[in-house]
Amino acid sequence: MQIQLEYQPYASVQADALVTYVFDKEDKLDGAVGEIDRAMGGKIAALVKSGELTGKSLELVLVHFPEGLAARRLLLVGAGKPEKFAVSDLRKIAGTAVRYLKSRGMKTFVFLTRDGERGPTAAQATVEGLIVADFESDKYRTDRKNREIQSVSLAGFDTGLGVNLTAAIEHGRVVAESQNFARDLINEPSNKLTPRMLAARAEAMANEAGLGIEILDERKIAELKMGALIGVAQGSVEPPRVIVVRYTPANPRPGAPVLGLVGKAVTFDTGGISIKPAANMEKMKYDMGGGATMLGAMRALAALKPSVPIIAVIAATENMPGGRAQKPGDVQVAMSGKTIEVINTDAEGRLILADAVFYARQLGCTHLIDAATLTGAIEVALANVHVGAFGTPREYLDRFLESAKAVGEKMWPMPMDDEYEEMIKSNIADIRNTGSGKGGGASTGAWFIKEFAEDTPWIHLDIASTCWVDEGRPWLAKGPTGVAIRSIVDFALKM
Ligand code: BES
Ligand code: ZN
Ligand code: ZN
């Protein structure tokens, strides 16, 4: 999708469609929409008056061959109440326009922004909305339609002196394309994306982006004594991999913090010996979503060049039952030396993260963020609305939540009180990999990981219910969402 700035008067731009938005109960059309209304001889005002155009959020009104405009169609998108409007709404409006027009075979359009949303932040959000909406999960369909929005022109943005819109557009593009890169990985079925294949995809990305990469194979993993990861991986014929991706800034400051991005990449989670029921098990191909998230974030950061070094550590394995699989009651020794009683082999994410988090600290990470499709319990707590965000110290988590808010990703702070620590005490080892069974499953999962982060500032993002959506939205296809990448990128850039 080509994206460029448009300088021509709105009414004379040629395209398949001109897209703009109208607020709830906006009876006095002014600014850019007023201009279009005048060119059309008051037709938009008439639509408002008739009640067909109400401006309620994401309502769509399509006008064919609008008289007075050079564009072949006018698409008006509802923007909701003006006092509630935020930059994140631009993402949704732009995305909704892409999906609506693309499904009707259109190839080019002009997106006209309005007063108040004309700066670089608005341009970046618009571009993100456009590109994220363009993603389709149709890679394995032989009958895919290959519809394509070839070109979008951005109109109405502030092109005044000193405003760097081009940089904002490029920023939006790299973040959104990295989100789509992760979504493509998350979509892959487990026979097309084993741990080894994920490592190969990470390597190709790193080479293209100019990042350092090292892939630890099963021998190296054994040498490092990553017993918790090995315990999960031993049930599968597919060997595990630990993928280490490095970004080094051009002029590293001595003593600067080192950000560690740790990802859970279970390329398929059967549950192991504590096997999952058959219903919906096919979805466990997306249990590598945390790892894909971190690879997507690294891809974007390579281009956006934060000032701090960043190391991603992704633990990749299958979780399978089998003759060699670990069994409930087994005790594993993690790389850190802590002993773990495996109560439930389906609580495998925290096991592999235990070693990945510890290894990230050994590599010199002073600050950590992990992302994982860790628990079904987070869906009970937050549905598919918010990412569950855990972390210590609280100020570190709060700073991250500021980034999430700035980029329009919904995340909710979850409790990390000491009581949850009690729930993962084991009778025979240091800790056990499940809670007491009396609720709080997302928090006990988080506490387990914290046992390995110890005092290193650490954030844990449970994306089990937000990394994938079963129902599409007007601005987003169903399937993988690429959630958390925008927040992580924003946070790293502000570090
Ligand atoms: N991968 C699952 C969590 C999950 C569930 C992800 C639904 C996406 C959608 C994880 O490994 C798991 O099975 N967790 C268990 C933990 C329990 C056994 C303590 C769970 O949440 O049921
Ligand atoms: Zn599991
Ligand atoms: Zn899992």
Side-chain angles (χ1 to χ4, degrees):
M1 185 192 284
Q2 260 191 42
I3 300 175
Q4 60 278 316
L5 288 164
E6 180 61 70
Y7 299 97
Q8 283 188 66
Y10 318 134
S12 56
V13 190
Q14 302 249 1
D16 288 337
L18 173 64
V19 178
T20 192
Y21 48 99
V22 174
F23 292 100
D24 198 357
K25 310 225 167 51
E26 185 176 354
D27 28 26
K28 197 181 150 298
L29 299 166
D30 50 19
V33 172
E35 211 174 296
I36 293 176
D37 186 46
R38 277 192 296 283
M40 290 174 67
K43 292 265 171 55
I44 303 180
L47 279 170
V48 173
K49 202 158 172 231
S50 72
E52 189 173 337
L53 179 63
T54 70
K56 100 174 171 354
S57 188
L58 300 183
E59 165 195 80
L60 294 167
V61 174
L62 184 68
V63 183
H64 286 99
F65 308 111
E67 233 174 279
L69 299 188
R72 283 177 290 280
R73 294 164 195 85
L74 172 67
L75 177 64
L76 298 165
V77 186
K81 297 209 168 30
E83 64 274 15
K84 279 180 112 183
F85 193 80
V87 167
S88 53
D89 292 300
L90 270 184
R91 248 183 228 106
K92 291 184 185 167
I93 291 171
T96 301
V98 165
R99 285 175 51 77
Y100 183 85
L101 296 174
K102 189 174 169 180
S103 69
R104 284 160 183 80
M106 273 156 250
K107 293 188 167 28
T108 62
F109 70 88
V110 183
F111 185 85
L112 174 57
T113 191
R114 301 195 57 188
D115 289 349
E117 305 299 339
R118 305 180 58 225
T121 315
Q124 185 190 322
T126 303
V127 170
E128 288 168 3
L130 295 170
I131 294 177
V132 166
D134 201 27
F135 179 90
E136 229 57 75
S137 301
D138 57 1
K139 181 169 170 183
Y140 291 108
R141 278 189 197 281
T142 56
D143 65 346
R144 66 178 171 272
K145 298 203 178 73
N146 287 326
R147 281 177 168 154
E148 193 193 353
I149 298 284
Q150 288 161 352
S151 159
V152 180
S153 301
L154 304 182
F157 287 91
D158 181 6
T159 51
L161 273 181
V163 186
N164 200 343
L165 282 183
T166 317
I169 291 172
E170 269 323 296
H171 188 134
R173 177 185 287 283
V174 72
V175 172
E177 286 180 350
S178 299
Q179 228 176 301
N180 290 349
F181 165 81
R183 291 163 85 196
D184 185 36
L185 290 176
I186 296 168
N187 247 337
E188 291 289 11
S190 70
N191 64 331
K192 306 281 183 201
L193 195 82
T194 60
R196 284 182 292 180
M197 294 182 207
L198 177 65
R201 300 273 289 256
E203 190 166 13
M205 180 280 286
N207 290 338
E208 198 175 317
L211 295 162
I213 182 149
E214 190 188 350
I215 291 161
L216 315 187
D217 63 10
E218 63 275 31
R219 272 181 44 207
K220 184 78 189 165
I221 290 169
E223 215 175 282
L224 289 169
K225 298 196 167 64
M226 295 185 161
L229 169 60
I230 293 167
V232 174
Q234 71 190 39
S236 176
V237 295
E238 284 293 337
R241 289 289 181 267
V242 173
I243 304 163
V244 181
V245 186
R246 283 174 196 266
Y247 163 79
T248 314
N251 304 302
R253 260 182 299 136
V258 180
L259 180 61
L261 303 178
V262 181
K264 166 181 175 181
V266 175
T267 57
F268 197 81
D269 182 9
T270 65
I273 295 298
S274 314
I275 199 160
K276 288 178 180 297
N280 299 319
M281 204 207 270
E282 74 284 356
K283 281 174 65 184
M284 282 303 114
K285 69 174 187 174
Y286 84 74
D287 212 21
M288 34 58 71
T293 301
M294 294 320 191
L295 289 175
M298 290 304 280
R299 183 187 180 280
L301 289 166
L304 298 171
K305 306 208 180 311
S307 62
V308 297
I310 308 184
I311 307 175
V313 178
I314 292 142
T317 180
E318 290 188 336
N319 186 24
M320 296 286 284
R324 286 182 197 281
Q326 67 178 347
K327 301 171 285 296
D330 285 2
V331 172
Q332 306 292 10
V333 185
M335 186 185 181
S336 77
K338 270 196 183 145
T339 56
I340 305 165
E341 184 188 6
V342 178
I343 301 293
N344 190 319
T345 64
D346 197 11
E348 85 297 343
R350 61 201 73 184
L351 295 172
I352 71 171
L353 287 173
D355 286 339
V357 160
F358 186 79
Y359 188 56
R361 288 173 61 211
Q362 269 210 340
L363 293 178
C365 296
T366 60
H367 292 72
L368 297 170
I369 304 175
D370 82 65
T373 47
L374 203 76
T375 68
I378 203 67
E379 183 169 14
V380 177
L382 302 172
N384 61 9
V385 179
H386 289 90
V387 169
F390 302 79
T392 55
R394 182 58 203 243
E395 304 76 64
Y396 180 57
L397 174 62
D398 284 342
R399 267 203 289 143
F400 186 81
L401 292 173
E402 284 298 315
S403 280
K405 198 169 167 196
V407 301
E409 289 190 317
K410 288 190 194 233
M411 303 207 178
W412 202 257
M414 298 290 290
M416 279 297 298
D417 299 63
D418 295 344
E419 284 87 338
Y420 298 108
E421 183 184 6
E422 290 302 309
M423 299 180 192
I424 54 168
K425 294 250 153 85
S426 159
N427 289 331
I428 69 159
D430 296 335
I431 47 175
R432 45 187 269 160
N433 78 333
T434 61
S436 57
K438 296 188 185 125
S443 289
T444 48
W447 244 111
F448 185 96
I449 302 167
K450 186 180 158 49
E451 292 284 336
F452 300 87
E454 297 185 281
D455 290 335
T456 304
W458 155 83
I459 290 159
H460 159 61
L461 304 174
D462 194 336
I463 57 171
S465 61
T466 45
C467 162
W468 183 279
V469 287
D470 288 330
E471 274 160 41
R473 309 196 177 142
W475 63 90
L476 189 79
K478 68 176 160 211
T481 62
V483 75
I485 292 176
R486 286 207 304 268
S487 302
I488 294 166
V489 167
D490 186 84
F491 183 78
L493 289 172
K494 287 175 179 161
M495 209 159 164

